Amino acid sequence: SLLTNTATGSTLTPKFRALSAAALGTNTVVATVSAKKIRVVQWIATTVAANNFKWQSHGGTDITGLFYSSGAGGGAGGAYNPLGHFETTAGEALDINLSVATTVGGSLVYVEV
């Protein structure tokens, strides 16, 4: 289904992305879109081992608090929310920041605003 940007009346098309990150620190999940914010409307992330993670706007600005996973199969997520769970600064990529170098997988749905 399509969403509408109430400020401009334009149609927002949901985009789908697999999440696969494993490096300690910053991992880019969605690349920069010139002059656009990346607004996440649904997401899930699971870990293969204990790991803490947070979402960031590229450059290190936290856009969520820290999520804690105590081991394999742990994780967090947000059900579909047309208003969005979090968004980047305009013109910045969406990153996930990991506390340890273990695999985090999942998926997300986002729109560019």
Side-chain angles (χ1 to χ4, degrees), residues 18-63:
L19 169 60
S20 180
L24 170 67
T26 302
N27 295 260
T28 297
V29 178
V30 179
T32 300
V33 179
S34 180
K36 298 278 187 173
K37 296 178 184 180
I38 298 163
R39 180 177 296 159
V40 176
V41 296
Q42 183 176 355
W43 68 281
I44 187 165
T46 60
T47 65
V48 300
N51 203 333
N52 302 330
F53 59 91
K54 58 187 171 182
W55 294 96
Q56 295 181 320
S57 191
H58 195 68
T61 303
D62 293 347
I63 55 177

Side-chain angles (χ1 to χ4, degrees), residues 13-17 33 108-112:
T13 303
K15 297 186 178 192
F16 302 85
R17 177 73 51 150
V33 179
L108 58 104
V109 180
Y110 68 96
V111 291
E112 298 168 359

